[in-house]
Amino acid sequence: MSKNGYSSRRRFLQQIGSTGILFAATPLLGLAATEKAEERIIRYNQSFSSNDKIRLATIGFGIQGHGDTATALKVPGVELAAVCDLYSGRLENAKELYGKDIFTTRNYHEILERKDVDAIILATSDNWHARITKEALKKGKAVYCEKPMVHKINEGMGVIEAQRATNKIMQVGSQRVSSIVYAKAKELYRSGEIGKLNMVNAVYDRQSAIGAWEYTMPADASPETVDWDRYIEGVKKIPFDPKKFFWWRNYRDFGTGVAGDLFVHLLSGTHVITGSKGPSRIFSAGQLSYWKDGRDVPDVMTGILQYSETTENPAFQLTLQVNFVSGTGGQESIRLVGEEGTIEIKGGGLTVHHSIMPKAPGIGGYDAVFTYPKAMQDSLLARYNQKYTADDKKRITKPDIDFKAPPGYSDHLDHITNFFDSVRTGKPVVEDAVFGFRAAAPALACNDSYFEKKIIDWDPENMKVLKG
């Protein structure tokens, strides 16, 4: 591209910069990022004919279902046709938000049978993900399935096979996969900015009752307002318990605990940046420290995952941490540690810090040389100075790099926009069932390691647990 062409693009971006689509701290705003931003802006502003419209239905209209739906409707040409939820109050809320003509039901099969539904957002409790995804694909619907893609590891290949057999669009909802911040981290990592990777430290801490999934429950929660029998299909029959419905993440029958909810985000981000397919060994430990409210999952958990050397990545270790009663007040970060520096993603941006060892190993200081006889000390020092030049003894210094997403930037909007682009064009999604499973399975293996008190050996290429 000519310099004039590049300048015109820059002026274009500056003119629309107030939309909050893209901003990066120079000098990191490269030509490729500029072009991607312009493409995104044009896409958001283009109009669609009636033939291009996508009719959407949401199955599971809780917190995430609300957020996904509202974000999806920001994408031009997407219309909401129907909402399904097992609590009648949420169906009433859907009509309040989107009009009395919105079709609502407690039975998701009625959604899948509708000819006017092109795509679904699946935001139910985790135990329904695999089942509804497979049924929806067979009914010809495009599926945006919230993470984790499956509730149990043994469900993963069934979802992958259903997507392949139907050849329908299916995307998993881990929005960091579409983030411009993670894209920049991937670019910097692959350019060798921190040298050879050897460790990743990933943290997702919280410190609040709502953050620990003690959500406000409706005043009318009862077997009359909740379709409890449908909810517990596939698990042992138990009496109605509003906690197990409205706080489902706390219970293994319905959710996947901190690993399935939060480890999976950290794994998705790590895999995007490194190109890794997954770890080969998985171990986790933790405890129930504070939120002793009847839940049967830990509120503090650490995973240690070993990645073997492959064509995609060097050998490295990934540590995963969630603490629901963290005195930090809560934090989320991923820090990639290489031989020459770190990339840390935190707070809507990233920082690269360099630390490069000199060629000379050093002598003196906290070193054994001072414990030797004086004559030997002098001889060793002279030999060292003869072998290494002044430049060899200097640390190479490079300035830190900062990259920031703009105020109001939404990787969630980018991720959902990418999904609908694939629905319209048939192009591959940014997070297919294989990627989704390769992030979900190690997270779920952390649960298995914790509850079974053992190390899990995993085959990331063939996506299966290895028998020890």
Side-chain angles (χ1 to χ4, degrees):
M1 177 181 291
S2 70
K3 186 178 292 185
N4 288 340
Y6 178 71
S7 297
S8 66
R9 284 178 183 269
R10 288 297 299 270
R11 285 196 299 272
F12 172 73
L13 288 168
Q14 289 166 359
Q15 288 166 1
I16 52 76
S18 60
T19 63
I21 298 297
L22 177 67
F23 173 79
T26 55
L28 288 179
L29 182 54
L31 180 58
T34 307
E35 290 173 339
K36 180 180 178 182
E38 185 177 81
E39 290 169 4
R40 185 184 299 118
I41 294 156
I42 292 171
R43 189 167 71 226
Y44 287 166
N45 286 300
Q46 71 185 108
S47 59
F48 294 91
S49 70
S50 58
N51 293 332
D52 293 324
K53 291 189 183 301
I54 297 173
R55 298 276 287 170
L56 172 70
T58 298
I59 301 176
F61 202 52
I63 300 169
Q64 196 61 40
H66 271 70
D68 286 348
T69 303
T71 301
L73 295 178
K74 294 178 182 178
V75 180
V78 176
E79 297 179 349
L80 184 64
V83 171
C84 174
D85 199 272
L86 298 180
Y87 168 53
S88 59
R90 287 180 176 151
L91 301 181
E92 182 181 348
N93 176 248
K95 290 182 177 292
E96 291 172 349
L97 291 172
Y98 299 113
K100 59 182 177 59
D101 293 332
I102 291 291
F103 175 77
T104 60
T105 179
R106 288 181 171 186
N107 185 351
Y108 74 88
H109 294 101
E110 294 184 358
I111 298 283
L112 302 186
E113 294 297 332
R114 290 183 69 92
K115 303 299 183 185
D116 64 339
V117 170
D118 305 305
I120 68 164
I121 287 172
L122 178 52
T124 62
S125 53
D126 297 342
N127 60 311
W128 283 97
H129 285 185
R131 175 173 170 177
I132 297 178
T133 293
K134 291 187 290 184
E135 291 182 28
L137 292 170
K138 289 176 183 176
K139 289 293 183 179
K141 313 301 183 189
V143 177
Y144 181 97
C145 177
E146 267 304 328
K147 55 76 198 166
M149 187 182 84
V150 293
H151 186 229
K152 302 293 182 184
I153 292 176
N154 61 15
E155 297 172 328
M157 292 309 299
V159 173
I160 291 171
E161 289 163 5
Q163 194 282 318
R164 289 172 175 169
T166 60
N167 201 31
K168 298 300 294 183
I169 296 296
M170 187 239 171
Q171 180 167 299
V172 181
S174 298
Q175 63 267 24
R176 287 156 185 78
V177 175
S178 293
S179 166
I180 60 172
V181 176
Y182 282 77
K184 179 54 67 176
K186 176 180 177 180
E187 175 189 321
L188 292 165
Y189 165 71
R190 295 198 173 184
S191 71
E193 199 66 47
I194 62 170
K196 184 179 178 182
L197 181 72
N198 53 56
M199 178 170 278
V200 179
N201 306 121
V203 176
Y204 206 142
D205 289 347
R206 293 175 174 174
Q207 191 190 31
S208 71
I210 291 176
W213 308 323
E214 288 191 351
Y215 304 131
T216 302
M217 282 190 275
D220 64 349
S222 71
E224 288 68 44
T225 59
V226 173
D227 192 340
W228 180 254
D229 289 339
R230 189 182 302 276
Y231 178 65
I232 63 172
E233 280 183 20
V235 302
K236 62 184 178 182
K237 193 170 181 62
I238 54 177
F240 174 73
D241 184 341
K243 282 187 177 181
K244 291 183 177 178
F245 184 82
F246 293 100
W247 295 1
W248 57 265
R249 292 192 187 279
N250 292 324
Y251 301 95
R252 296 172 67 191
D253 282 342
F254 310 104
T256 50
V258 299
D261 187 38
L262 301 177
F263 278 8
V264 72
H265 276 310
L266 304 174
L267 281 155
S268 297
T270 299
H271 291 178
V272 164
I273 297 167
T274 63
S276 302
K277 292 179 179 175
S280 54
R281 304 204 86 192
I282 301 158
F283 176 74
S284 69
Q287 71 268 353
L288 185 57
S289 292
Y290 185 86
W291 301 105
K292 299 177 181 180
D293 49 13
R295 68 183 65 201
D296 58 15
V297 293
D299 57 8
V300 173
M301 195 176 198
T302 299
I304 301 175
L305 287 65
Q306 186 64 44
Y307 285 67
S308 300
E309 182 176 1
T310 68
T311 56
E312 291 87 14
N313 60 263
F316 70 92
Q317 186 179 90
L318 168 64
T319 62
L320 302 168
Q321 173 189 310
V322 170
N323 182 350
F324 272 2
V325 61
S326 174
T328 65
Q331 58 180 327
E332 178 187 354
S333 68
I334 293 181
R335 184 174 63 181
L336 291 88
V337 181
E339 295 176 351
E340 298 181 356
T342 62
I343 300 173
E344 184 167 20
I345 304 171
K346 192 173 185 179
L350 66 81
T351 299
V352 180
H353 177 72
H354 302 97
S355 181
I356 303 172
M357 289 190 293
K359 180 179 178 181
I363 191 168
Y366 194 82
D367 182 9
V369 69
F370 76 91
T371 67
Y372 307 149
K374 181 66 170 58
M376 186 181 291
Q377 292 182 40
D378 293 342
S379 173
L380 290 170
L381 183 60
R383 190 187 311 172
Y384 179 85
N385 288 330
Q386 185 177 20
K387 183 175 182 180
Y388 297 107
T389 68
D391 285 341
D392 290 340
K393 299 171 187 176
K394 292 179 182 177
R395 276 187 171 269
I396 299 171
T397 60
K398 295 172 68 175
D400 288 353
I401 298 172
D402 291 302
F403 178 88
K404 300 273 185 213
Y409 169 75
S410 171
D411 54 8
H412 192 198
L413 177 57
D414 264 2
H415 200 54
I416 285 181
T417 299
N418 286 333
F419 167 66
F420 288 119
D421 278 355
S422 295
V423 174
R424 284 197 172 95
T425 66
K427 71 178 184 180
V429 296
V430 294
E431 185 179 5
D432 63 9
V434 171
F435 185 102
F437 185 46
R438 283 183 168 144
L444 302 180
C446 284
N447 276 337
D448 293 341
S449 174
Y450 171 81
F451 288 108
E452 297 172 23
K453 296 180 173 60
K454 67 179 184 181
I455 294 171
I456 306 293
D457 291 311
W458 174 250
D459 179 347
E461 181 69 38
N462 297 301
M463 298 174 283
K464 62 181 181 180
V465 174
L466 300 175
K467 303 301 180 184

